[in-house]
Amino acid sequence: MPEAPARSGPRRRAVLAAALAPLAGAGCSGGGAGEAARTPAPGAPAPEDALVMVIRHAERPYAGGVGRDAEGEEDPGSLAGRGWRRAERLPRLFPPAPGSSLPRPATVFAAGGGKGVAVPARSRQTVTALATALRAPVRAEFAVGAEAALAQAALAAPMPVLVCWEHSGIPRLIQALGADRVPGTPATWPDRHDLVWMFTRRQGRWSFRELPQHLLPGDV
């Protein structure tokens, strides 16, 4: 690029600064995080910063097993015993719990749906103790399959956001957020319940980190 004259004046310097601004912060982050390759279109307003954490609902009963609802009654659509133990310990990951490692969610979403539907019940059960500890309601107005609407609501909600969802719908949610092209983001959620996926958007660019929960014996 030609060198600007030494006496270019305030207007010329402002034009050059605007032209170089998209290049700021383009370096890759370390620590296993990936960063999206795309940037906002020229002239488009830059998206606001965002932090969205995604978890899968806690463990369901194995084939032939039976879950239990919040009253302890047998219910195949509810969490298994291990799932309830994970749900009870989930608040340990977030402030105000001592030694917590993740930012405190300002908004909590869980899968919604009719009474007795397995996925919504397990999602809400997973975050009930956490919502109580945070003194925050659980937003459950979106069913699995409505990930585009969920993503829009999540990005408009107070940050940070935590979403507890069904594993097959998580890739659709990530795509709807616009973070599906971040290097290192898995194409599908693995066969695990002990992970947190963290998506951070700064200056219109998403980055990704996968974090372990380490809440129960056997968590990797």
Side-chain angles (χ1 to χ4, degrees):
M1 181 171 60
E3 184 177 355
R7 301 173 65 181
S8 57
R11 183 175 180 181
R12 178 61 180 273
R13 290 195 295 271
V15 171
L16 287 174
L20 294 173
L23 300 179
C28 295
S29 57
E35 188 170 324
R38 54 187 172 184
T39 56
E48 294 182 1
D49 291 352
L51 197 164
V52 180
M53 295 171 283
V54 182
I55 62 173
R56 181 184 182 180
H57 65 71
E59 286 86 343
R60 63 183 182 181
Y62 290 110
V66 63
R68 295 189 180 275
D69 62 18
E71 286 71 42
E73 299 296 328
E74 291 189 357
D75 176 17
S78 289
L79 296 174
R82 182 177 175 86
W84 279 109
R85 290 192 294 274
R86 182 176 304 282
E88 291 167 359
R89 297 182 184 185
L90 195 63
R92 299 182 183 184
L93 295 177
F94 307 97
S100 55
S101 58
L102 296 173
R104 177 180 178 137
T107 311
V108 179
F109 288 90
K115 184 177 180 181
V117 180
V119 168
R122 293 173 187 146
S123 296
R124 292 192 295 267
Q125 289 166 357
T126 300
V127 295
T128 295
L130 174 63
T132 299
L134 298 175
R135 299 181 180 179
V138 177
R139 293 187 55 178
E141 65 264 42
F142 303 104
V144 173
E147 286 80 14
L150 169 62
Q152 185 176 7
L155 292 175
M159 296 289 166
V161 166
L162 176 72
V163 179
C164 181
W165 212 244
E166 197 271 337
H167 73 285
S168 67
I170 291 176
R172 296 192 298 268
L173 170 61
I174 304 312
Q175 183 178 22
L177 289 172
D180 54 304
R181 291 167 55 186
V182 177
T185 305
T188 59
W189 187 275
D191 187 21
R192 292 174 61 180
H193 300 267
D194 61 340
L195 296 173
V196 179
W197 283 5
M198 182 182 293
F199 293 89
T200 305
R201 186 174 68 187
R202 291 192 178 94
Q203 298 182 348
R205 298 175 69 90
W206 285 102
S207 61
F208 166 74
R209 294 182 66 193
E210 181 180 274
L211 303 168
Q213 294 182 7
H214 293 317
L215 293 174
L216 297 174
D219 283 2
V220 178

